[in-house]
Amino acid sequence: MNLRFRSALTVLALLMVAVSLGGCGKNTAKSSLAEIRRRDTLIVGVFGDKPPFGYIDQDGRNVGFDVALARELGRVLLGDERKVTFVTLEAANRVAFLQSNKVDIILANFTNTPERAEVVDFAQPYMRAALGVVVPNDSPLRSLSDLKGHVLIVDKGTTAESYFVKNYPEVELLRFDQNTEAFQALKDGRGAALSHDNMLLFAWTQANPGFKLIEANLGNADVIAPAVKKGNAELLNWTNEQIIRLRKEGFFRRAYEKELRPHFGSAVKDPSTVLVEDPST
Amino acid sequence: MALDAPFIARHLPDFGRAFLLTLGLGVAAIGGSLVVGLLGNGLRHVPIPGARFLVRSYVEVARNTPLLVQLFFLYFGLPALGIRWSGLTCAVVGLTFLGGSYMIETFRSGFDAVKKEQIEAGLSIGLSRFQLVRYVILPQALATALPGVAANCIFLLKETSIVGIIAVPDLMHLTQGLIGLYYKTYESLLLLTLAYLLMIVPASWALFRLERRLRYGHRPA
């Protein structure tokens, strides 16, 4: 028994050493522009189940608004929009993928928040985001103030989760890893409502007419931006230049018409309410 | 590297709650699995046609499908059939379903190891069927099966870490949530590891002691 206890302590001590070493080690930037050109492919983290931003179409291809931007960046940097390797990820592990050098850039509907800005570097924004809340059409809930005492479904690691944790701690949260599971849980009646980015919900309610939005503009007027690993100034500057240029060239307006309008339908009247075309506004 | 002590202090109560939930879930699953394991072995010996086949089929299905799939079926599949259990209920049922099949096999090895001569000797001195089971078969079978049973218990405690996928707020689910919200990866993982050690090291030690007591006669001279 003594031996067992001692070995358990040894394991614990080793673990702590490993944790502290991991924290101290300076990771070398593996996502320099030279390195990306050498390997001849840009590795981008995107969503796989969040239409219309990043999802998989019937042929198994990555598609969506974020994916279109990723392909454009690949075309500019490497001369071919096919020279982009997509890594599908979940909201909660976006930061980890950057930190562990698994992707060069995250283009996954990534809202710029102060907490996240401490651990990754956000480039120039390309969209605006607020939070929405959906309920079944026959729900008695009319607005945010009715949510108290009800179960609200969210995705782990999203701005929706942190907004309700901070501002409405009395609302009980049911947290899922993936969108598919969260929306299925709403359909199964496991929560009274679901909160997510408003644009995602615009699209979802178009596709699921049994549900309606009771809130569409919650939270700070946040912006969505590409993110690179903290400290990768070279890639950050390059990405910033591209975003500014693409805004001027009307790329986002074209991508909106192609990727977003078919999903949003009449839910969004004016694209300029969701696109960042002039960051001063 | 500096750990964020205020963060740890602030979220220690969260870990306390998740610890109790995880432990409760594990204990319920172990209890349920032991009952299923013994009943399953009982069923193998009753003269009901098909009982053996039923137990055999259950063991094969439960052991050869991942727990993840079983939990998804219970949580997302059953509502389609009109059965809607809470996440916690699904977790207990899922873990018991899986653990029960392991326990059946482990107990079986114990029962099969009881020598035929022992049973014949018991019968020859006129023991009743109940006495035979109570005083001859069970003590020997359980002692033989105990190391395997103990391993199954530890396995079930650790296997609770998967129930977060159906939104049950266990230790793993809490940790992933905190990392996602505040990006305090090292602090959260440290608390998580300590919590599991705090749960499993004492459990492992207690099972080891129990084993030494019950298997006294089995120890090599």
Side-chain angles (χ1 to χ4, degrees):
Chain A
M1 169 257 151
N2 217 338
L3 189 74
R4 261 176 178 239
F5 207 75
R6 261 213 321 255
S7 53
L9 283 179
T10 315
V11 168
L12 185 61
L14 281 175
L15 190 99
M16 284 171 145
V17 170
V19 164
S20 44
L21 281 180
C24 296
K26 284 269 173 295
N27 288 311
T28 44
K30 296 209 176 75
S31 297
S32 64
L33 289 175
E35 167 64 20
I36 295 168
R37 288 201 182 96
R38 196 195 55 74
R39 80 166 102 91
D40 205 28
T41 183
L42 179 67
I43 306 173
V44 185
V46 294
F47 282 143
D49 66 346
K50 292 177 181 61
F53 304 104
Y55 58 107
I56 311 288
D57 71 4
Q58 284 155 342
D59 304 323
R61 275 166 41 98
N62 290 81
V63 287
F65 189 85
D66 289 336
V67 173
L69 175 56
R71 291 193 200 280
E72 176 65 17
L73 293 180
R75 192 188 63 76
V76 174
L77 185 61
L78 303 169
D80 186 342
E81 65 159 34
R82 283 169 302 182
K83 290 185 176 171
V84 179
T85 304
F86 291 104
V87 175
T88 53
L89 32 72
E90 295 306 326
N93 59 27
R94 286 176 293 197
V95 170
F97 268 81
L98 271 183
Q99 286 179 334
S100 54
N101 295 316
K102 295 216 164 41
V103 298
D104 300 321
I105 304 182
I106 297 276
L107 284 172
N109 202 28
F110 207 7
T111 308
N112 185 334
T113 65
E115 288 87 359
R116 289 171 181 169
E118 277 185 26
V119 288
V120 303
D121 280 338
F122 282 103
Q124 288 282 323
Y126 57 96
M127 291 189 106
R128 291 173 210 287
L131 297 176
V133 176
V134 284
V135 297
N137 282 338
D138 55 5
S139 167
L141 304 179
R142 297 266 169 274
S143 71
L144 191 57
S145 49
D146 298 336
L147 267 181
K148 196 186 254 186
H150 291 276
V151 174
L152 178 73
I153 298 168
V154 295
D155 274 24
K156 267 195 258 178
T158 57
T159 43
E161 183 190 16
S162 61
Y163 177 79
F164 281 94
V165 166
K166 281 177 198 151
N167 300 304
Y168 294 90
E170 70 277 10
V171 173
E172 192 190 332
L173 297 182
L174 197 61
R175 307 158 203 231
F176 290 93
D177 285 329
Q178 296 187 21
N179 250 19
T180 7
E181 292 150 24
F183 283 109
Q184 185 59 46
L186 179 68
K187 287 179 176 173
D188 290 343
R190 295 192 178 275
L194 178 148
S195 180
H196 217 305
D197 291 352
N198 59 355
M199 285 183 290
L200 207 133
L201 295 180
F202 291 149
W204 191 77
T205 46
Q206 292 289 315
N208 294 271
F211 296 84
K212 64 179 180 189
L213 278 151
I214 54 169
E215 298 282 351
N217 270 302
L218 289 181
N220 311 323
D222 289 323
V223 289
I224 290 171
V228 301
K229 189 173 180 177
K230 191 91 195 155
N232 190 348
E234 185 197 25
L235 187 59
L236 181 70
N237 291 337
W238 181 83
T239 311
N240 280 338
E241 286 165 21
Q242 302 312 313
I243 299 286
I244 292 167
R245 186 178 58 75
L246 292 173
R247 276 191 206 134
K248 282 198 197 115
E249 291 175 0
F251 168 84
F252 294 106
R253 192 56 83 121
R254 287 197 303 279
Y256 179 92
E257 295 300 329
K258 184 163 174 284
E259 304 286 350
L260 299 186
R261 191 185 288 287
H263 289 273
F264 289 168
S266 55
V268 179
K269 304 270 182 302
D270 179 5
S272 62
T273 57
V274 295
L275 295 180
V276 179
E277 290 171 306
D278 175 3
S280 59
T281 57
Chain B
M1 154 193 140
L3 288 173
D4 184 343
F7 173 86
I8 292 179
R10 198 161 61 246
H11 292 288
L12 217 47
D14 295 337
F15 273 90
R17 270 191 299 278
F19 179 89
L20 291 179
L21 183 129
T22 308
L23 186 62
L25 185 60
V27 168
I30 289 171
S33 303
L34 288 172
V35 172
V36 172
L38 285 174
L39 284 182
N41 272 286
L43 264 184
R44 289 175 65 238
H45 295 284
V46 293
I48 302 174
R52 251 185 123 86
F53 174 75
L54 204 72
V55 173
R56 192 72 235 153
S57 313
Y58 157 65
V59 169
E60 291 305 324
V61 170
R63 289 206 314 174
N64 296 321
T65 49
L67 180 60
L68 187 75
V69 174
Q70 296 168 3
L71 290 176
F72 263 39
F73 175 80
L74 291 171
Y75 193 79
F76 291 110
L78 284 188
L81 308 173
I83 304 167
R84 208 181 71 200
W85 288 338
S86 74
L88 202 57
T89 309
C90 291
V92 173
V93 171
L95 283 165
T96 303
F97 182 75
L98 178 73
S101 67
Y102 276 85
M103 292 294 187
I104 287 180
E105 288 297 272
T106 310
F107 282 134
R108 184 170 69 96
S109 70
F111 285 114
D112 289 355
V114 177
K115 290 199 176 72
K116 217 174 163 187
E117 293 90 325
Q118 292 280 326
I119 296 167
E120 285 167 356
L123 288 173
S124 72
I125 58 169
L127 293 182
S128 72
R129 207 180 154 79
F130 172 78
Q131 286 172 322
L132 190 68
V133 172
R134 167 71 185 80
Y135 296 105
V136 178
I137 299 178
L138 269 183
Q140 298 187 56
L142 292 188
T144 310
L146 193 62
V149 170
N152 288 347
C153 292
I154 302 295
F155 163 77
L156 282 172
L157 278 179
K158 291 191 290 189
E159 205 69 356
T160 55
S161 59
I162 206 178
V163 300
I165 53 134
I166 53 169
V168 174
D170 79 312
L171 284 166
M172 193 70 208
H173 187 262
L174 170 72
T175 306
Q176 289 172 332
L178 289 179
I179 293 174
L181 276 176
Y182 305 106
Y183 303 108
K184 298 284 182 193
T185 311
Y186 300 118
E187 289 83 351
S188 306
L189 286 179
L190 183 69
L191 284 171
L192 174 71
T193 312
L194 289 177
Y196 273 122
L197 284 177
L198 196 64
M199 181 181 316
I200 292 172
V201 169
S204 169
W205 178 74
L207 287 166
F208 177 69
R209 291 290 300 248
L210 184 70
E211 217 175 280
R212 278 225 310 210
R213 262 185 77 135
L214 290 191
R215 286 171 59 84
Y216 192 77
H218 286 242
R219 287 206 293 169

